[in-house]
Each structure stands twice: as structure tokens, then as C-alpha cells.
Amino acid sequence: MRGVPAEPAALVVLVSGSGTNLQALIDACGDPAYGARVVAVGADRDGIEGLARAERAGIATFVLKVSDFETRAEWDTAIAARVASYEPDLVVSAGFMKLAGPAFLAEHGGRFVNSHPALLPSFPGMHGAEDALAYGVKITGATLFVVDPGVDTGPIVAQTAVPVEDDDTVETLHERIKVAERAMLVEAVGRMAREGFTVAGRRVRYGR
Ligand code: GAR
């Protein structure tokens, strides 16, 4: 059996909505053997359940709205610095509906991962579940990837497949994806935290 890691990896999680993926990570971190802890949760908007979940768990939160900055670049620089202030080992975008800019990637690139509700490279963008349903695919899923400057184009850490049912709506399909997505995220982030990972070209492997 794996022992308890000496120092759990510090996670900063970014959210924009209900935060069920965040909750799965918070719950997993309750076991010391998981090897990670959520040190802060950041958002681009107020009043979301994701922030409430963090507050209930006693985790530090911050909100930086794009509209509070003169330019998108200033917001990007500010959120990069705020995340850096928590000295994260891994930054997890879990339903964070903003693209990271150059300053954020300069600071956190290589340790910044994003979960997407489709089997990339199919159906990137804001509507992964909706676009897969509209296309008529029979299998879709979720992808965890290391963020690069493109839109959902970074090296893939993990994927999970989910069937599309004949009577699916966007909501029923996305909910089925999210069940599998949460399990994938917990498994992959835990392995990254405990084992480390390397990125060589497009190939991501666990281990140091
Ligand atoms: C998740 O399915 C995540 O993959 C998706 O938003 C959902 C958030 O759910 N993210 C994107 O679509 C990003 N392009 P949650 O707030 O319940 O974790």
C-alpha cells in the first residue's frame, strides 16, 4: 500500500459555475493518502455554487472579474499573480469559462490543466457536450489536458468515454459526462500529485 506522501501537492482550482468537479477534488483530498490539498479556489464571477463549496470546506477563495480591469491583459496578469501567491504545484481549471492568456501561461504553463466535456480533439470550445450531441456521435466523454496557448489543444493527460443515448438532451448528456469526468479528474490529478508527470511533445506520462 502506498504511504501518506510527506508533503501533499498544493492545488489551486479555478471555477465559473456549480463546481461539482471541484467538490470531487475536495472530497478526494480528505484522504491524506490522496497526496493533494486544495489551497485556494478562484473564480471570474461572484455568487456561484463553486465558491460556496470552497467556503463550506474552509478553503480560501478569490474572485477576479474581467470587467473590473481596463484590459483583458491586465486581468490575465492579475489572476496569474493571485494564483501564484498560493504557490501551487498544480492549477486545475474545472469548469472555468475563461481562456488563460500569455501572462497566466508564462507563470503557470506546464502545471496548468483543464478538464473539457468532450473527447478532444473533437468538439473544443465552450459547448463540448452540445456540439457532440448535434454532430450525432455515439461516444463522447471528457478530456484532461495540459493547457497550451490554443483553445483546448494542449497535450492530453487522461480521457474517459461516455455513450450518447438516443433520447439524450444536452443536459442529460452533460450530466452523464460529468459523472465520468469527476472520476477521471480525481484519478488523474491524484496521480499527477503523487507521481509527478512529464510532457514530451504531445505525450504526457505519469512519473518523474
Ligand atoms: C464540466 O463539464 C467542465 O468540463 C466544463 O464545465 C463543466 C463544469 O461543471 N468545462 C468546459 O466546458 C470548459 N470549456 P462543474 O462546475 O459542475 O464542475
Side-chain angles (χ1 to χ4, degrees):
M1 204 181 95
R2 177 179 293 280
V4 176
E7 187 70 36
L11 310 180
V12 171
V13 183
L14 302 177
V15 296
S16 297
S18 64
T20 65
N21 282 282
L22 164 67
Q23 187 69 56
L25 288 172
I26 292 171
D27 293 348
C29 289
D31 178 356
Y34 185 66
R37 68 196 169 100
V38 181
V39 295
V41 171
D44 63 330
R45 62 198 74 184
D46 298 309
I48 53 171
E49 182 60 16
L51 288 170
R53 290 176 191 278
E55 282 156 16
R56 286 198 294 273
I59 297 167
T61 63
F62 60 90
V63 176
L64 291 173
K65 299 179 195 174
V66 173
S67 58
D68 287 342
F69 292 83
E70 290 278 311
T71 65
R72 181 79 179 219
E74 285 172 43
W75 171 81
D76 186 49
T77 300
I79 194 164
R82 181 64 68 90
V83 170
S85 73
Y86 294 98
E87 300 184 352
D89 297 299
L90 201 59
V91 183
V92 182
S93 168
F96 186 60
M97 295 306 202
K98 290 283 182 298
L99 287 179
F104 197 92
L105 287 177
E107 183 77 40
H108 301 292
R111 59 159 180 253
F112 179 38
V113 292
N114 182 31
S115 185
H116 180 75
L119 288 176
L120 294 171
S122 293
F123 314 117
M126 298 285 282
H127 310 289
E130 183 177 349
D131 293 348
L133 187 66
Y135 195 91
V137 295
K138 302 301 186 191
I139 304 230
T140 185
T143 302
L144 185 71
F145 63 95
V146 180
V147 179
D148 74 1
V151 178
D152 300 330
T153 52
I156 291 170
V157 180
Q159 292 187 299
T160 186
V162 168
V164 180
E165 306 292 353
D166 287 348
D167 57 355
D168 264 334
T169 63
V170 176
E171 290 72 29
T172 60
L173 177 59
H174 197 179
E175 282 308 311
R176 189 177 311 111
I177 291 170
K178 282 173 61 169
V179 172
E181 182 179 18
R182 289 189 286 267
M184 173 195 74
L185 186 66
V186 165
E187 159 82 11
V189 167
R191 289 196 66 183
M192 293 171 105
R194 292 187 302 270
E195 301 172 32
F197 64 100
T198 59
V199 182
R202 291 208 53 85
R203 308 286 297 277
V204 181
R205 290 188 181 83
Y206 298 117
R208 292 189 169 83

